[in-house]
Amino acid sequence: MNQNKINKRRSMLYIPGNNPAMLQQAGVYGADSVLLDLEDAVALNQKDAARILVRNMLKSNDFYNCEISVRLNHIETPFGIHDLEEIIPLQPDAVRLPKTENVEELKKVFEIIEKIEDAHGLPHTKTKVHVMIESALGVQNVYELASFSPRIDAITIGGQDLTADMQIEKSKDNYGIDYARKRIVMASKATKIDAVDTVYVDVEDEEGLREETVYIKKLGFTGKAVINPRQINIVNEVFTPTESEIRKAYRIVKAYYENKAKDIGVFAVDGKMVDAPVVTRAIHTLTLADIDPETIK
Amino acid sequence: MARNALNIEIPEKLDGLGALEPYQGVWTKLQKGWMSEQTVPPAIKARMPHTSKMCDSLEEAILKCNPQDGMTVSFHHHLRSGDDILVQAMTILANMGIKDIILASSSLTSAHEPILPFIEQGIISQIYSSGIRGAIGEACARGIMKKPFVIHSHGGRVRSVQTGKIKIDLAIIAASAADEEGNATGSHGPSAFGSIGYAMIDAWYAKQVVVVTDNLVDYPCVPPSIRQNYVDYVVEVDSIGDAKKIASGTTRITKAPLDLRIAKLASEAIIHSGLFKNGISFQVGAGGASLAVAKFVREAMKKHEIVGSFLLGGVTSYGVNMLNEGLFRAIFDVQSFDAAVSQSIMNNPYHIEIGAALYANPFNCGCMINKLDIVVLGALEVDVNFNVNVITGSEGDVRGASGGHSDTAAGANLTIVVCPSFRGRLPIIKKKVNNVVTPGDSVDIVVTERGICVNPKNIELEQKLKKAGLNIKKIQDLEIEVDKITGQPDPIEHTDKVVGVIEYRDGTIIDTIKQIKE
């Protein structure tokens, strides 16, 4: 299993948990994160087979440098508890909790997770939790959900279920979930965790995917789920800084370290004032470009 | 028994082929500047003025060519899976009672499977071809043929004709348009197939040449890709083939995620190779990851405002689009992979039809592959020495084509092989390939979904690609990684009988194909 520190989460590739060939190849497509799905991608009569397969793949398959997360079935379904029992002991990088609506659910799941971890002598810190918002109630409660535990390090939106819950058509422009997106992003910013957007379902429409990804990046999302490996390059490209952005960030961080040594907090780069938030943004840009800011010192 | 430069045992001679010269190295035989083998003169013929070449039927034309036992009959494969002419002609010869025929088709496709009974009956006793597939390939590997078959490259075929190793008695050349004197082309007509490049050497050297067309046009047929001074007889038939199957279907950009991933990685290797600049020349194969590389290279050329020199080789409509977009200045086309290319050959003076000699024959003053910067090729298997097999399958059957693989690999500045690290249950990166078609010394990098392997002879390239952040692996490490996933298949069981040889482009023998044990 991947032990590398995850520092970016641009593309999250859904892989059906009941497809051995796809699971085996999940790590080779260039996604930052793979999302092994035990929930909606798996038919009811294959839930146990998928759970066993994903469990065994977590033990044996090389997912290379991808973050590995597993989407579990909801705790109130007949499958949720079994998913936790099989998956948590293997300590994937994260588990994704679908259709989360209120803090009580989270309390219940966290208690079970910690109990399983205790039973196996595992820490409570290794496996992160991603909360998935797929209902109007979840959208309304999103800040409370996002801030429930420091173990939650990403909040995500599921467009299909959310529009169904809102009783609206899921249009191509996703106008109906615009408010939800913005509210989720704001909660993620307030809690300083990632916000990951919903999938773009038309895999043939590359331009549409690019436009939507550009848009949600502007909103503040840090990544996007994808349902086909063909979508990864586009999402990664949009979320990867351009060369001029990287150069600018490099100059800012370099100047920051130089001025810090002289105890100067506010300074100018390219004639513009630089303060702490600008430096934070520049460091994030370099991280997205695979440049360790520490090496600039 | 001698050993060649790859340490593969090569018989000193074989019945039906005579003495065999072991492979000595990619460029060893070119270094002295001329070919050691004697050439034979092309056929010199004469014809009285104002006499007709027209025949009422293919049968009549063949009869006029005085067919005899043991003759060599040649064809081109530009009609691919749509070809009707080879089977028609071989059936006519079989019905005439001709036997012991040497079949020299530039390649054999699934359309040619009806000749299998002729092989079984000894009517065809030997095959020279760049590719054999399907039922014929399986039968060949089981040793059905009287004499060993020869797999050659496209460039090597020209050399074989010029040295008389392939001594063509009768060349039957299908054309989508021709006139009564035999000026012929594949660039227009209902069965248009584009370049007729592989047939040019046959027209020049064959003792007798018959042009067959389903589109007899008023004199003169333009462009005269095959010229009348080489042609003995002309036949008009109802159809030369199935136009729908002429476009082989391997020319669309794949949607398979794995192929696209491999292609993307290959394109990144190209971009960071140091060769990606104005004036670049480029060749990709048709289909799969290989053609998909063109998609990513095209995008990168636009982004970086690169204008290339020429595209070479098997040409697809995708390549034609790149020419029309101004991304390349010219196309040199020895073989067109889809019918849409024909219109471009016909109408665009910068889409230049070339023969196999100019394309890839190693023994002249410089074929086009010598000027090639980058080629992207496929593989059935690759071994840890970068040797590539494109001819025999996992069960030892003959199921592929040498084509221009070893030619372009030898010529290009950067030879990239793209393939998945395993297919289904089969490892593709192996310790040892079943057969070598293209020697590892002519391969620079192998790109798989699990990493890029750079031939250790090219340290500078490896450093460039590492610096660009690409996932570079030792091929030995990749082989171990794949082995952990797939395990080792049982080795193919062979008898000691050599049923075919794989000829390197310079005429030496790089490998033999042994009979599969039943």
Side-chain angles (χ1 to χ4, degrees), chain A residues 162-209:
Chain A
L162 179 57
T163 48
D165 189 56
M166 292 168 71
Q167 297 180 330
I168 57 172
E169 286 292 314
K170 189 174 182 303
S171 59
K172 193 151 190 171
D173 62 10
N174 270 327
Y175 191 69
I177 63 168
D178 207 46
Y179 167 74
R181 275 175 162 163
K182 289 171 180 170
R183 188 174 169 93
I184 285 167
V185 164
M186 206 50 74
S188 78
K189 301 301 173 191
T191 48
K192 303 204 182 316
I193 61 175
D194 280 349
V196 181
D197 190 40
T198 188
V199 297
Y200 189 80
V201 291
D202 186 353
V203 295
E204 302 300 328
D205 183 5
E206 294 187 353
E207 274 317 299
L209 171 65

Side-chain angles (χ1 to χ4, degrees), chain A residues 24-25 28-31 61-62 64 204 206 228-230 233 237, chain B residues 255-258 260-261 264 295-296 299 422 449-450 473 481 485:
Chain A
Q24 187 180 44
Q25 296 287 42
V28 305
Y29 294 112
N61 196 48
D62 191 346
Y64 300 97
E204 302 300 328
E206 294 187 353
N228 189 300
R230 283 154 55 195
N233 282 340
E237 271 172 34
Chain B
K255 289 183 177 176
L258 198 63
L260 285 169
R261 176 66 182 158
K264 176 72 176 165
K295 167 186 154 76
F296 296 112
E299 289 167 5
F422 60 96
E449 79 287 2
R450 274 157 215 275
K473 280 181 183 170
E481 193 177 326
I485 298 168

Side-chain angles (χ1 to χ4, degrees), chain B residues 144-165:
Chain B
I144 194 179
M145 211 149 2
K146 272 204 224 162
K147 289 181 265 184
F149 60 88
V150 178
I151 300 294
H152 51 60
S153 72
H154 289 321
R157 182 174 190 268
V158 176
R159 188 216 67 259
S160 285
V161 172
Q162 290 188 316
T163 57
K165 268 191 183 172

Side-chain angles (χ1 to χ4, degrees), chain B residues 79-84 86-87 108-115 136 245:
Chain B
L79 292 157
R80 288 173 294 279
S81 299
D83 181 22
D84 274 353
L86 186 147
V87 174
L108 291 169
T109 70
S110 56
H112 303 131
E113 288 193 3
I115 66 167
I136 299 175
K245 291 183 185 168

Side-chain angles (χ1 to χ4, degrees), chain B residues 67-71 92-101 122-123:
Chain B
Q68 293 185 358
D69 291 352
M71 70 187 301
I92 290 166
L93 286 162
N95 291 341
M96 287 175 177
I98 308 296
K99 56 186 185 299
D100 218 12
I101 294 167
I123 293 165

Side-chain angles (χ1 to χ4, degrees), chain B residues 121-447:
Chain B
Q121 293 157 23
I123 293 165
I124 297 169
S125 61
Q126 193 169 26
I127 290 175
Y128 284 80
S129 185
S130 74
I132 305 177
R133 299 172 176 85
I136 299 175
E138 283 173 31
C140 283
R142 280 173 171 72
I144 194 179
M145 211 149 2
K146 272 204 224 162
K147 289 181 265 184
F149 60 88
V150 178
I151 300 294
H152 51 60
S153 72
H154 289 321
R157 182 174 190 268
V158 176
R159 188 216 67 259
S160 285
V161 172
Q162 290 188 316
T163 57
K165 268 191 183 172
I166 300 175
K167 198 166 175 9
I168 304 170
D169 295 298
L170 171 60
I172 296 179
I173 299 174
S176 64
D179 64 33
E180 62 194 16
E181 289 297 317
N183 296 300
T185 183
S187 64
H188 56 93
S191 306
F193 52 81
S195 175
I196 199 167
Y198 297 134
M200 290 178 183
I201 189 68
D202 302 41
W204 187 17
Y205 268 77
K207 197 169 163 190
Q208 306 272 347
V209 177
V210 174
V211 163
V212 187
T213 187
D214 53 7
N215 181 33
L216 192 69
V217 298
D218 288 340
Y219 187 88
C221 172
V222 176
S225 309
I226 300 292
R227 304 223 170 200
Q228 67 181 59
N229 50 317
Y230 298 130
V231 179
D232 296 272
Y233 301 107
V234 178
V235 184
E236 187 180 19
V237 294
D238 291 338
S239 167
I240 58 169
D242 181 345
K244 284 179 195 159
K245 291 183 185 168
I246 290 170
S248 56
T250 56
T251 63
R252 284 181 221 101
I253 299 290
T254 179
K255 289 183 177 176
L258 198 63
D259 282 345
L260 285 169
R261 176 66 182 158
I262 294 166
K264 176 72 176 165
L265 293 174
S267 70
E268 285 171 8
I270 289 169
I271 290 163
H272 295 105
S273 66
L275 294 168
F276 190 65
K277 53 193 175 190
N278 281 327
I280 189 176
S281 55
F282 188 55
Q283 178 169 349
V284 290
S290 179
L291 179 60
V293 176
K295 167 186 154 76
F296 296 112
V297 167
R298 173 174 169 246
E299 289 167 5
M301 288 179 81
K302 285 182 177 177
K303 184 177 169 188
H304 298 282
E305 297 182 347
I306 301 276
V307 175
S309 170
F310 65 92
L311 280 170
L312 179 63
V315 175
T316 63
S317 50
Y318 202 83
V320 170
N321 291 342
M322 290 171 85
L323 176 69
N324 292 338
E325 288 172 335
L327 295 176
F328 286 95
R329 290 202 295 278
I331 291 178
F332 292 96
D333 186 347
V334 70
Q335 173 179 208
S336 316
F337 284 125
D338 57 61
V341 177
S342 309
Q343 290 171 5
S344 175
I345 288 187
M346 185 71 188
N347 299 318
N348 189 340
Y350 288 91
H351 188 151
I352 301 152
E353 186 178 16
I354 60 170
L358 176 55
Y359 172 51
N361 180 14
F363 293 108
N364 56 36
C365 291
C367 54
M368 297 297 307
I369 58 111
N370 287 4
K371 188 80 180 148
L372 189 58
D373 286 323
I374 296 169
V375 65
V376 183
L377 300 164
L380 290 174
E381 300 175 323
V382 182
D383 72 20
V384 291
N385 294 312
F386 290 81
N387 297 311
V388 183
N389 175 19
V390 283
I391 197 73
T392 47
S394 61
E395 294 178 3
D397 51 326
V398 183
R399 55 172 307 165
S402 165
H405 204 282
S406 63
D407 294 317
T408 50
N413 274 324
L414 176 63
T415 298
I416 300 173
V417 170
V418 289
C419 57
S421 58
F422 60 96
R423 289 188 181 97
R425 64 186 172 83
L426 298 169
I428 303 303
I429 307 296
K430 301 173 72 176
K431 279 199 174 66
K432 190 173 180 298
V433 289
N434 292 331
N435 286 107
V436 180
V437 172
T438 296
D441 278 351
S442 59
V443 174
D444 295 292
I445 63 177
V446 174
V447 180

